[in-house]
Amino acid sequence: MGRQRKRVVTGDAPPHSRRDERPAAFNRKEKKKKPDIGKLFINISIGLCIFSLIWFFYAIYMRSSLSKRVVTLHPSPRVLDANSTTAEVSSERFWGSYRPQVYFGMKTRSPRSVVTGMMWMRQFSNLDMNLRHTCEQGDHLQGYSWLMHDGLTFGIQEIRDNDFTLTTEFVKRIGGDHGGDWTWRITAKQHSSAPQPPVISLIFYAAADMQGSLHTHMEERQRLASITGFSKELGNFKITFRKPVTGELSSTKYASYNYLQTLSPGLEKLTDIVKLSLNRRFVYSPPSGEKRHYIGVDTYKPPHHQNQQKPADPRKESDFVVHQVTVQTPFQIEVLFESGSFYNRPNQLVGSIMTQELERRKAEFNVKFEKIFGLESKGFSQTYIKFAKAALSNMLGGMGYFYGESVVQSVYNEYPILYPEGALFTAVPSRSFFPRGFLWDEGFHQLLLSKWDPQLTREAIGHWFDLMNIEGWIPREQILGDEARSKVPAEFIVQRNENANPPTLFLALQELIGQLSSRSDEAASKPTLPFLRSLFPRLKTWFQWYNTTQTGPKPNSYRWRGRDKDTNLYLNPKTLTSGLDDYPRASHPSADERHVDLHCWMALSSGIMASIAQLLGEPHEDYKLLHDVLRDNNLLNDLHWSEQLHAFSDYGNHTQNVSLQREKVYVPPGQPRHQFPVARLVRSVRRAPKLQYVNALGYVSLFPFLLQILQPDSPKLEHILRDMRDPNKLWTPFGLRSLSKTDPLYMERNTEHDPPYWRGPVWININYLAVRALYHYGNTAGPYQEKAADVYKELRTNIINNVYTQYVETGYIWEQYNDSTGRGQGSHPFTGWSSLTVLMMAEHY
């Protein structure tokens, strides 16, 4: 039983054992396994490829989608109706001096307006070419300033050239369907110091901007008597050039005339076209005087670029007509614009009729000015009041209407792209140097303008918010159109959507709310509530954009984005987005920074958001909660109080041991030096940075005080008032300096080519906030009330007296003032926020 039997196999078949069968079975299984592993590998590879392709195309789609967000406008209804600036809706504001970049000109508030303007030049002077047109500091005029301008119906400007003065006046008359009529009057007088009456050429022009037509009407061979034209916004119109006279009632003066009729590819080319058309072949031949050749417009000859293939300008060329009149001072000329739809005009707005209208408007202006600002009742002299009227008028005369595309870029765009076309009605900081809209400047501008004309403020703010994209970002510098771009260096043109600017428009909104509560029955403030209702959806997005994109490393802290990254070339990398440019921040930019000024802007903004939401019946609790958190003085102390400095401070990766040193360039022996790079000034860091308070005492340190975040009984207020009043730190006889004299970077250059900007000079916008805050703390019960009231009186007096004195001495209101001498410096005229001096005079805060 237990023995194994032996099998007998016959034939040639090999013996077949069970042991041999099992490996065969296993081999069959192994053969089946191999293709399964291969297939699995193939399937996984295919799956990964499909997934990668899906992810690749999804990434492309997302990048494409995200790249478009920067140029996707906000989806909520516009704050302002698309027709809000038309003659049908707003006839009284349709025409205006909305070309702040030229010495004198007018246009309508429409995208492709027919523009009018004036150039001039002195004949027979030592200067070969002295054509004046766009406002240029290099023209070295002794002054140009609107003496009176109501922002609506009239303006009077005085331009003082070397040995003569031009007074430009305009008056509007509403009528018809296209904005009505207007008249210019140009009066030229020689200065008493001039050895003989100068001969001047006034060059008046009209230019279409890609639509509309202009036709010339001649008399006496070379004299252009009038232009007739047509455009969509203006209908039919006529511009009449009257002959020069000595005075309103006197006879015609001898004059020589020239004209030019040509085409222009763009408004930024007008000056060049006139320059290239000038010719000396004309003879000035007065009845009693010698014959002399003078410069006059002739045939325009476009420049030819030899050996250079210059691409043709693709833009549509438009009509451009020039009328030149050459006459000896003194004289007066009037230019009359008449709308074809003004059928029932009582008379022409010229001569004595214009004079009567001007006198009536001037009287109304004076009454309104005193009613609003009350400077006479405060005891100011007539010379100070005249200065204050000019400061306000220059801001009103600096209102511009711009249309075009910004150039923008986000991190998802490889190259800059064009923003959607849009319009902007805004004040400008400086007609010569910054003739365009700046976001943080505009909030300060509207503090003054809202006192004069709340409707103008509502329209300006509405225009800014209608430029917002879907993210809630508003480009901080508005460079709209070719004419605006022609005045801006290339490195400043592109606007990046991670970069903010101080949200000062909240200051203007705070003023409008205050007017609504105090004068709710007045017609001027009644439209504010519906305006805020239209604004609110965009306002919420704007605030949220700040509160999410500009957050800091710690809860409830904030950090400006957009600091300069090339730390090797900057003594202290600039923070242009903060508005304070080269003010000292952490020496080594990093994500660890906390900026005290931005914290305070957010505290202010959240409180105003809560007020507006509550006023509109919208949910306001979250804004109120955030406001309470951000204005908590304990939080502010924890994040920003430096015990070492006894002041509020930024925090970041910082060292004070830096300087600019000339880099060493190795020149091999015997090699000429000029073949090697010029040795630059570069930053030398003598001690490694570390996370610490920046400890730069200046404007940034004051922000918890400036924006009234500090409680009246805060012990920190005592330190601030003491530092403000210390002549070795911030105090000067001309206002508060921007950086303490004790700071290592006080009046230090930031690069080889960048002189100190916010490192010592006196700036009026921050001084206005300081005077405003002193007024608040000086009228609020607390241990420092009396001290604040005393400093208020001194500081207010110092600022007013110095800005006035410099205006009288130099003819200009300036961008900033020297902290040692009080002398005006920087851009001029700077009748943006420096005009806030008027509010300090009126004590309107």
Side-chain angles (χ1 to χ4, degrees):
M1 293 279 301
R3 192 184 291 178
Q4 186 177 356
R5 277 205 238 170
K6 193 173 182 181
R7 259 177 106 181
V8 179
V9 181
T10 60
D12 296 332
H16 185 74
S17 69
R18 288 180 184 173
R19 284 183 70 183
D20 292 334
E21 286 174 8
R22 289 179 66 192
F26 277 115
N27 286 339
R28 283 195 301 272
K29 285 181 182 177
E30 283 175 8
K31 285 178 183 177
K32 286 179 184 177
K33 259 186 175 182
K34 282 180 183 177
D36 286 349
I37 293 171
K39 285 179 181 178
L40 182 64
F41 179 77
I42 291 170
N43 289 340
I44 290 172
S45 299
I46 292 172
L48 285 172
C49 287
I50 292 171
F51 178 78
S52 298
L53 281 171
I54 292 172
W55 179 255
F56 175 73
F57 285 113
Y58 176 74
I60 290 177
Y61 166 77
M62 286 303 297
R63 186 173 182 86
S64 173
S65 175
L66 291 171
S67 69
K68 292 175 183 175
R69 284 178 65 83
V70 70
V71 292
T72 302
L73 294 178
H74 197 274
S76 68
R78 292 168 54 91
V79 181
L80 301 174
D81 185 87
N83 297 319
S84 64
T85 59
T86 62
E88 293 84 357
V89 176
S90 182
S91 59
E92 73 281 0
R93 294 187 198 272
F94 187 55
W95 274 105
S97 54
Y98 304 137
R99 304 183 65 209
Q101 72 275 20
V102 301
Y103 289 114
F104 188 53
M106 289 177 67
K107 64 175 289 186
T108 62
R109 293 202 303 172
S110 50
R112 300 295 177 192
S113 169
V114 171
V115 304
T116 57
M118 182 188 79
M119 309 179 196
W120 77 90
M121 60 182 169
R122 191 194 189 286
Q123 297 288 350
F124 319 124
S125 71
N126 295 327
L127 298 173
D128 188 50
M129 177 66 66
N130 57 96
L131 185 69
R132 320 290 203 198
H133 180 213
T134 55
C135 300
E136 305 289 346
Q137 292 182 176
D139 286 342
H140 302 295
L141 298 186
Q142 295 168 17
Y144 56 100
S145 172
W146 290 101
L147 305 180
M148 288 186 176
H149 198 306
D150 67 352
L152 275 177
T153 65
F154 88 107
I156 303 171
Q157 179 183 216
E158 187 176 85
I159 302 169
R160 290 185 289 131
D161 211 332
N162 292 320
D163 54 359
F164 61 91
T165 295
L166 297 176
T167 302
T168 68
E169 301 168 304
F170 76 88
V171 176
K172 291 161 51 180
R173 177 190 276 171
I174 305 303
D177 302 323
H178 301 91
D181 300 346
W182 50 256
T183 299
W184 295 352
R185 177 182 289 166
I186 316 299
T187 305
K189 294 180 179 178
Q190 71 184 93
H191 293 169
S192 57
S193 58
Q196 60 183 10
V199 176
I200 303 168
S201 288
L202 298 185
I203 301 171
F204 301 102
Y205 66 83
D209 187 11
M210 299 183 69
Q211 61 97 13
S213 58
L214 302 172
H215 307 283
T216 58
H217 300 273
M218 308 299 299
E219 69 175 33
E220 301 170 9
R221 218 160 48 100
Q222 278 291 101
R223 195 181 100 78
L224 178 63
S226 63
I227 300 170
T228 56
F230 174 85
S231 75
K232 181 181 176 182
E233 292 88 1
L234 295 174
N236 292 303
F237 60 87
K238 181 180 181 181
I239 301 174
T240 303
F241 302 104
R242 306 189 82 201
K243 292 182 176 181
V245 296
T246 306
E248 185 183 303
L249 301 175
S250 59
S251 58
T252 303
K253 285 198 71 169
Y254 169 81
S256 294
Y257 299 98
N258 301 76
Y259 85 101
L260 171 68
Q261 184 173 16
T262 186
L263 298 174
S264 167
L267 299 180
E268 80 282 5
K269 301 291 187 184
L270 301 184
T271 306
D272 291 336
I273 290 173
V274 169
K275 283 183 177 179
L276 291 169
S277 73
L278 294 176
N279 196 312
R280 290 181 176 275
R281 70 182 181 87
F282 305 101
V283 177
Y284 181 74
S285 181
S288 56
E290 63 175 314
K291 294 181 179 181
R292 289 183 286 179
H293 283 274
Y294 72 94
I295 303 171
V297 292
D298 200 355
T299 305
Y300 170 54
K301 297 177 181 177
H304 294 286
H305 299 271
Q306 293 182 348
N307 303 323
Q308 184 179 348
Q309 292 296 323
K310 191 173 183 181
D313 197 318
R315 295 174 295 178
K316 176 186 174 183
E317 293 191 313
S318 306
D319 289 341
F320 178 37
V321 178
V322 174
H323 167 63
Q324 176 178 338
V325 53
T326 302
V327 61
Q328 189 174 50
T329 57
F331 64 86
Q332 191 174 90
I333 297 179
E334 292 178 349
V335 178
L336 172 64
F337 176 94
E338 293 176 297
S339 171
S341 63
F342 194 167
Y343 301 116
N344 58 344
R345 67 172 58 84
N347 45 42
Q348 284 195 315
L349 189 59
V350 295
S352 60
I353 303 297
M354 181 187 181
T355 301
Q356 292 170 18
E357 281 295 304
L358 264 177
E359 292 303 317
R360 182 171 68 85
R361 307 287 170 82
K362 287 162 63 176
E364 291 171 352
F365 177 90
N366 290 331
V367 170
K368 181 178 179 180
F369 188 89
E370 179 59 24
K371 179 182 177 182
I372 292 173
F373 300 110
L375 300 190
E376 285 186 36
S377 63
K378 288 185 174 294
F380 283 100
S381 68
Q382 285 304 310
T383 55
Y384 270 82
I385 294 172
K386 183 180 178 182
F387 152 75
K389 289 175 180 176
L392 169 68
S393 297
N394 275 290
M395 190 181 284
L396 288 164
M399 291 295 298
Y401 183 87
F402 306 95
Y403 186 84
E405 304 158 311
S406 291
V407 182
V408 301
Q409 189 172 12
S410 76
V411 293
Y412 302 105
N413 303 115
E414 187 176 357
Y415 301 104
I417 56 178
L418 290 176
Y419 206 66
E421 283 191 321
L424 181 63
F425 181 53
T426 185
V428 303
S430 169
R431 290 170 62 190
S432 62
F433 210 76
F434 302 111
R436 54 194 176 275
F438 287 79
L439 184 57
W440 96 293
D441 292 66
E442 191 62 8
F444 288 109
H445 298 161
Q446 296 305 327
L447 283 173
L448 175 59
L449 296 180
S450 60
K451 299 286 188 183
W452 180 259
D453 187 348
Q455 178 59 24
L456 184 150
T457 296
R458 288 188 287 265
E459 291 196 27
I461 293 175
H463 273 92
W464 275 97
F465 275 89
D466 280 337
L467 291 171
M468 177 187 292
N469 77 357
I470 193 171
E471 301 164 324
W473 174 66
I474 302 174
R476 68 184 184 88
E477 187 173 348
Q478 293 293 330
I479 311 166
L480 302 180
D482 295 321
E483 191 176 15
R485 259 195 292 278
S486 67
K487 298 274 285 185
V488 183
E491 64 266 28
F492 297 116
I493 286 178
V494 179
Q495 306 294 300
R496 291 174 171 79
N497 71 330
E498 68 269 22
N499 294 347
N501 225 194
T504 57
L505 290 178
F506 277 108
L507 292 172
L509 291 171
Q510 186 181 43
E511 170 62 25
L512 289 178
I513 295 169
Q515 292 180 7
L516 190 64
S517 59
S518 64
R519 308 188 319 201
S520 57
D521 59 332
E522 287 198 16
S525 56
K526 275 187 178 179
T528 294
L529 198 58
F531 164 74
L532 292 174
R533 201 172 298 282
S534 300
L535 181 73
F536 195 66
R538 291 169 181 261
L539 193 63
K540 286 193 299 183
T541 311
W542 195 48
F543 178 82
Q544 186 63 17
W545 180 83
Y546 275 93
N547 203 36
T548 53
T549 66
Q550 308 295 302
T551 52
K554 283 192 170 186
N556 303 308
S557 68
Y558 294 90
R559 173 174 68 88
W560 294 111
R561 304 308 197 263
R563 292 196 65 192
D564 282 327
K565 296 174 183 176
D566 191 354
T567 55
N568 186 47
L569 294 179
Y570 295 98
L571 182 62
N572 187 275
K574 289 184 292 189
T575 315
L576 291 173
T577 49
S578 73
L580 304 178
D581 296 19
D582 66 343
Y583 185 93
R585 306 281 182 167
S587 61
H588 291 66
S590 71
D592 294 310
E593 287 181 74
R594 307 195 295 263
H595 294 135
V596 63
D597 53 335
L598 183 52
H599 180 106
C600 296
W601 282 120
M602 295 306 297
L604 174 85
S605 303
S606 57
I608 297 170
M609 282 297 297
S611 299
I612 294 174
Q614 192 167 14
L615 188 65
L616 298 176
E618 298 281 349
H620 68 281
E621 292 79 10
D622 288 347
Y623 299 120
K624 179 68 167 61
L625 178 62
L626 180 61
H627 177 61
D628 290 341
V629 170
L630 295 181
R631 70 191 299 268
D632 177 18
N633 283 198
N634 292 325
L635 173 68
L636 194 60
N637 295 340
D638 290 342
L639 292 175
H640 290 293
W641 181 258
S642 167
E643 283 295 342
Q644 178 185 340
L645 188 66
H646 289 297
F648 289 103
S649 174
D650 287 343
Y651 182 90
N653 194 30
H654 182 65
T655 176
Q656 287 191 342
N657 297 94
V658 295
S659 61
L660 290 176
Q661 303 286 340
R662 188 70 62 182
E663 66 181 346
K664 295 180 180 179
V665 177
Y666 174 70
V667 179
Q671 295 294 319
R673 177 68 183 84
H674 68 269
Q675 292 182 357
F676 292 84
V678 175
R680 303 172 302 172
L681 277 178
V682 295
R683 185 167 78 165
S684 171
V685 180
R686 298 185 302 279
R687 181 177 296 175
K690 64 179 181 179
L691 291 177
Q692 60 179 318
Y693 287 111
V694 176
N695 289 334
L697 179 64
Y699 285 169
V700 165
S701 319
L702 302 181
F703 263 84
F705 158 79
L706 296 174
L707 298 185
Q708 302 167 32
I709 311 299
L710 280 184
Q711 297 297 325
D713 59 353
S714 169
K716 308 296 191 282
L717 191 56
E718 182 179 13
H719 290 287
I720 288 175
L721 292 173
R722 186 170 62 241
D723 288 341
M724 283 173 56
R725 192 57 190 81
D726 187 343
N728 292 318
K729 293 181 178 179
L730 302 181
W731 188 263
T732 82
F734 321 109
L736 300 177
R737 59 170 61 92
S738 42
L739 187 64
S740 170
K741 288 182 75 173
T742 62
D743 192 90
L745 296 190
Y746 169 72
M747 293 307 294
E748 288 290 329
R749 302 183 70 87
N750 202 42
T751 72
E752 189 168 6
H753 306 291
D754 288 342
Y757 200 45
W758 291 83
R759 296 184 180 177
V762 175
W763 291 80
I764 300 304
N765 62 329
I766 302 299
N767 272 271
Y768 167 79
L769 291 178
V771 169
R772 176 176 176 259
L774 288 167
Y775 184 83
H776 165 74
Y777 290 110
N779 287 278
T780 305
Y784 314 108
Q785 181 179 5
E786 186 176 347
K787 177 65 173 175
D790 290 341
V791 178
Y792 166 78
K793 292 174 187 174
E794 280 190 276
L795 183 60
R796 171 178 172 265
T797 301
N798 288 350
I799 296 165
I800 293 169
N801 286 345
N802 189 62
V803 176
Y804 166 78
T805 299
Q806 290 302 305
Y807 176 75
V808 172
E809 290 182 1
T810 68
Y812 293 104
I813 294 174
W814 294 78
E815 180 183 18
Q816 53 178 227
Y817 295 86
N818 188 285
D819 65 313
S820 298
T821 65
R823 185 98 180 142
Q825 58 189 31
S827 303
H828 58 281
F830 196 92
T831 45
W833 61 41
S834 293
S835 294
L836 292 175
T837 309
V838 179
L839 291 183
M840 289 185 259
M841 294 172 74
E843 298 186 282
H844 284 181
Y845 310 115

